[in-house]
Amino acid sequence: MLSAEDYEPDEELNPLAEEGFELMGAAFEVHRVVRGGLLEDVYQESLEEELRLRRIPFTPKQELAVFYKGKELKLRYIPDLYVHGELVVELKSVRALAPEHVAQLLNYMRLSRKAVGYLINFGPLGKVEWRRFVLREFVQPWMLQRRADRILNR
């Protein structure tokens, strides 16, 4: 299992920054309306609705296959959301984020081969606790461009 020690923050590396900004804007709006301290499922459904309202593309609860020596196992990992097809999002509603929550997200990112992940905790009453993670090994050059530039370069 991966842990926060496997992740090295890099202030210079900011892939998919605009997409992350949009995601967190939606998360902050959910917290403003619903507040903190409810069940995780309430935030899951509320965030999905807020993403829909903002026309931000997402896929909820998409299963990830797990393999052992080339054989697909029956077990599936299921991240809460993929946003913009590239951001892995894991939601929590707990008093505080713990190392096992970080490890869970990092494992989802590795299994899905996605560079950017967000761990969002709606549990605290007065704020949204969140962390952004980047796995350098999966960062592609296009991810570092502004979205408008990506569209122009197609």
Side-chain angles (χ1 to χ4, degrees):
M1 189 192 269
L2 292 173
S3 70
E5 288 76 41
D6 295 312
Y7 159 80
E8 293 183 28
D10 185 342
E11 298 298 324
E12 300 297 314
L13 190 65
N14 196 12
L16 304 168
E18 292 168 88
E19 290 83 351
F21 185 81
E22 289 176 356
L23 165 66
M24 289 312 302
F28 293 139
E29 176 65 6
V30 167
H31 191 269
R32 186 188 71 74
V33 172
V34 180
R35 308 310 281 164
L38 301 176
L39 293 174
E40 182 179 316
D41 289 344
V42 171
Y43 299 107
Q44 173 85 33
E45 191 172 341
S46 297
L47 184 56
E48 288 178 20
E49 183 58 25
E50 187 61 30
L51 293 170
R52 261 188 225 92
L53 291 170
R54 293 174 182 230
R55 298 177 198 258
I56 298 172
F58 71 94
T59 305
K61 305 287 186 179
Q62 182 175 323
E63 292 185 353
L64 290 173
V66 181
F67 294 85
Y68 176 74
K69 293 187 175 184
K71 180 183 185 312
E72 187 172 339
L73 302 177
K74 293 176 188 171
L75 175 79
R76 295 287 186 262
Y77 279 109
I78 306 173
D80 290 322
L81 293 165
Y82 286 100
V83 176
H84 284 289
E86 293 295 330
L87 306 177
V88 181
V89 180
E90 184 60 23
L91 304 176
K92 297 294 176 195
S93 183
V94 294
R95 186 180 306 239
L97 293 173
E100 57 265 29
H101 300 138
V102 173
Q104 179 184 20
L105 176 64
L106 293 174
N107 282 316
Y108 289 164
M109 291 168 67
R110 287 228 193 252
L111 286 169
S112 63
R113 305 184 63 76
K114 299 295 184 189
V116 181
Y118 282 80
L119 184 55
I120 304 172
N121 181 18
F122 290 99
L125 296 178
K127 66 177 183 172
V128 176
E129 179 185 17
W130 64 281
R131 292 184 63 188
R132 181 179 195 269
F133 295 90
V134 176
L135 295 180
R136 288 172 97 45
E137 64 199 274
F138 301 122
V139 173
Q140 301 298 314
W142 66 265
M143 294 175 175
L144 301 171
Q145 296 176 337
R146 288 183 31 236
R147 188 169 30 206
D149 294 338
R150 280 185 244 146
I151 293 169
L152 289 174
N153 292 332
R154 283 187 185 168

